[in-house]
Amino acid sequence: DGYSTVSVVNGVLYTMGNKETVEAVIALDAGTGEKLWSTPVAWASKLSAGNGPRGTPTVAGDRVYALGGNGHLACLDRHTGDIHWRKNILKEFRGGVPGWGICESVLVDDGRLICTPGGTDATVVALDPAAGDVIWKCVTPDKDRAGYASVALAEIGGVKQYVQFTGVGTIGVRASDGRFLWREDSAANPTANCSSPQVAGEYVFSASNYGTG
């Protein structure tokens, strides 16, 4: 069960889903469909509007990063499925599960793993991909809760930044240190902000449904 899509790297397909009582990350041979490994990383996510994880595994180097429906984040060996580290980002940063579960696919960029706990301790956080340790935390002035989107990378005005569509608006966070830079809320709705921001040059596009457009 689940809503994850797939990442394909060097002929191997990576995905995740509920398997009976657990949430698992799975690797398949993209040519034959043969299962190469399957690793349980958390208990099965039982969520409104359908069970199972929603995010897609991110592959960076020899590691796979998977964020489950209840906020369990795992780092696995790409070749064997062995777990290097795992943590629950909602528990660590005092976030809450959005109504339909965590849907984010994490971003790995320039030695930082970026994700969105949407908690009182961190709206957006950068973790060390090797060990899971905190590099920086950003709490927005409005203490945005998480939406259902994934972070986009942008360079605007010569400043590299991470752009996210949270539960209440679109925000920009400086990549180097997590400093909050800007926000714009007109594209947001109060029900579900699902689409990741789209970046074109120095422009950022956000849109949502539920009467907002």
Side-chain angles (χ1 to χ4, degrees):
D1 293 341
Y3 298 87
S4 300
T5 185
V6 300
S7 297
V8 182
V9 178
N10 294 337
V12 178
L13 179 154
Y14 302 91
T15 190
M16 60 189 306
N18 279 1
K19 295 182 68 179
E20 299 178 349
T21 61
V22 300
E23 204 172 59
V25 182
I26 303 155
L28 306 172
D29 185 291
T32 67
E34 176 188 1
K35 183 173 68 176
L36 303 176
W37 52 260
S38 177
T39 302
V41 292
W43 64 82
S45 46
K46 306 290 186 179
L47 300 162
S48 175
N51 295 328
R54 285 88 160 98
T56 297
T58 299
V59 181
D62 288 330
R63 298 195 174 186
V64 178
Y65 302 90
L67 180 59
N70 287 312
H72 294 283
L73 175 62
C75 169
L76 305 94
D77 186 281
R78 179 163 69 91
H79 305 289
T80 65
D82 293 341
I83 296 174
H84 288 290
W85 58 263
R86 58 182 163 181
K87 63 173 63 188
N88 188 292
I89 63 169
L90 301 183
K91 182 178 180 179
E92 180 163 341
F93 302 107
R94 296 199 293 172
V97 179
W100 293 284
I102 295 288
C103 297
E104 183 175 18
S105 303
V106 303
L107 173 69
V108 178
D109 169 66
D110 195 20
R112 294 180 287 263
L113 184 154
I114 310 300
C115 58
T116 314
T120 56
D121 286 351
T123 306
V124 179
V125 63
L127 304 176
D128 176 4
D133 299 327
V134 175
I135 297 174
W136 53 250
K137 298 186 291 184
C138 173
V139 180
T140 64
D142 291 350
K143 295 186 177 180
D144 297 37
R145 68 187 186 278
Y148 302 96
S150 298
V151 171
L153 178 63
E155 186 166 325
I156 301 171
V159 179
K160 183 178 178 179
Q161 53 195 274
Y162 301 120
V163 181
Q164 177 62 303
F165 199 14
T166 71
V168 293
T170 309
I171 61 171
V173 176
R174 189 160 64 187
S176 60
D177 59 5
R179 178 184 176 184
F180 173 74
L181 298 174
W182 57 267
R183 71 174 309 115
E184 207 291 316
D185 295 345
S186 65
N189 73 79
T191 303
N193 298 320
C194 306
S195 300
S196 296
Q198 298 298 301
V199 178
E202 296 203 343
Y203 292 95
V204 175
F205 297 85
S206 291
S208 72
N209 205 330
Y210 297 94
T212 301

